[in-house]
């Protein structure tokens, strides 16, 4: 059974940094593209980043470009999202999701989801 578990969320001050992790079990991440999504209260879920199944391509939403970095460690079966220069508008529940094949933007294109981890940016 495919399972994704996010961790590393928390409360951070504006301008601070946080790294969230997505650990997979029941399957190996190699061969899957992994997307990081976020959903703030009252807003739709949006993709903020994705790393392709071959690890050679990464994608970022304009709102996080230059501040967030996605990476994967296939040996640990884990994908990371390093978030720097955090802003209050980054506050959301962050989810990771997996799909076979290349990265896609749409939520519906992803097959397996984690339960989410809360990131709150506030002073």
């Amino acid at each position: 059974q495919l399972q994704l578990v996010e961790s590393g969320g928390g409360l951070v001050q504006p301008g601070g940094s946080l790294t969230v992790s997505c650990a997979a079990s029941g399957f190996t991440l190699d061969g899957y593209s992994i997307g990081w999504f976020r959903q703030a209260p009252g807003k739709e879920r949006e993709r903020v980043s994705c790393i392709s199944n071959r690890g050679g391509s990464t994608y970022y939403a304009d709102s996080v470009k230059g501040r967030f970095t996605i990476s994967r460690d296939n040996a640990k079966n884990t994908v990371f999202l390093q978030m720097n220069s955090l802003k209050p508008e980054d506050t959301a529940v962050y989810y990771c999701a997996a799909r076979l094949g290349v990265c896609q933007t749409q939520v519906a294109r992803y097959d397996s989801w984690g339960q989410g981890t809360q990131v709150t940016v506030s002073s």
Side-chain angles (χ1 to χ4, degrees):
Q1 181 179 358
L2 306 184
Q3 188 173 12
L4 297 170
V5 178
E6 301 95 337
S7 62
L11 174 64
V12 61
Q13 292 186 342
S17 298
L18 203 62
T19 298
V20 289
S21 303
C22 173
S25 62
F27 70 107
T28 55
L29 284 178
D30 190 18
Y32 287 79
S33 293
I34 304 298
W36 277 101
F37 293 76
R38 68 186 181 188
Q39 188 166 19
K43 294 189 176 181
E44 293 187 353
R45 192 171 297 190
E46 62 170 351
R47 195 192 76 177
V48 295
S49 187
C50 186
I51 187 164
S52 68
N53 52 345
R54 302 304 176 200
S57 299
T58 56
Y59 304 88
Y60 299 94
D62 288 343
S63 59
V64 306
K65 202 170 292 183
R67 301 188 297 121
F68 289 13
T69 302
I70 192 170
S71 62
R72 65 193 300 160
D73 186 336
N74 287 339
K76 295 182 178 180
N77 223 26
T78 301
V79 172
F80 304 94
L81 184 68
Q82 181 180 349
M83 303 181 289
N84 298 325
S85 302
L86 283 162
K87 305 175 181 180
E89 51 263 44
D90 293 318
T91 296
V93 178
Y94 283 71
Y95 300 90
C96 62
R99 71 178 308 275
L100 286 170
V102 300
C103 286
Q104 297 285 347
T105 304
Q106 302 91 335
V107 169
R109 296 282 190 174
Y110 290 77
D111 306 307
S112 299
W113 291 81
Q115 82 290 348
T117 186
Q118 176 71 46
V119 172
T120 303
V121 185
S122 175
S123 55

